Amino acid sequence: MNLSILIIAILSYLIGSISGGVIVGRIKNVDIRTKGSKAAGATNAFRTMGALFALSVLLIDVYKGYFSTLYLPYFFGEENILAKSIAGFFSIIGHVFPIFFKFKGGKGVGTALGTLLAFPQLHLATLIGFLSWLTSLLITGYVGLGSIIAGIAVLLLSLIHISEPTRRRGISYAVFCLKK
């Protein structure tokens, strides 16, 4: 492994460790980690602070996964599948185990979505996963169940419709989502 890949992994982890919930909360002078489920994610933000607050949190969490996966490898001249996969993986790990918040973070679903969006080969699988999540949410009202179903959808579509390297990446992200 070369030095640029290591730097990409570290920077992706640090970017992933930035909490959208904490950032938006500081702007609004509130700490959502003291409200509701005490999580800093978009679901708790929605339940305790409303839709606009939650959408802001979600956009930050999705974008940090997207930015880390798409742009960091580019900045370091490592525009290959391995570098992008490492960047995406470490941005999700940073979200789930953030160094800035005593390694207690969110579930990583929004950040995983951003990471998946950075891979054009996974756009169809990601869209179907999102629609599965939304359908499950509307039927059951459970965000976590929707996330699990979306992870399974991405996994199955990765196994059926895409190339081997992309399939491995999709499986990795799906397993990570299912772990939660």
Side-chain angles (χ1 to χ4, degrees), residues 21 32 36-37 39-58 133 137 141 143:
I32 66 167
S37 68
T43 301
N44 191 43
F46 178 74
R47 290 179 183 151
T48 61
M49 301 301 295
L52 187 58
F53 191 98
L55 183 60
S56 302
V57 171
L58 181 63
W133 172 85
L137 176 65
V143 174

Side-chain angles (χ1 to χ4, degrees), residues 73-90:
Y74 173 77
F75 293 152
F76 287 91
E78 294 287 345
E79 298 177 80
N80 57 64
I81 298 289
L82 176 64
K84 288 176 70 173
S85 298
I86 288 171
F89 177 78
F90 277 97

Side-chain angles (χ1 to χ4, degrees), residues 12 22 40 53-54 63 73 90-91 95 112 161 163 173-174 177 180:
S12 294
V22 172
F53 191 98
Y63 189 69
F90 277 97
S91 69
H95 181 86
H161 288 290
S163 68
Y173 293 132
C177 286
K180 287 295 177 175

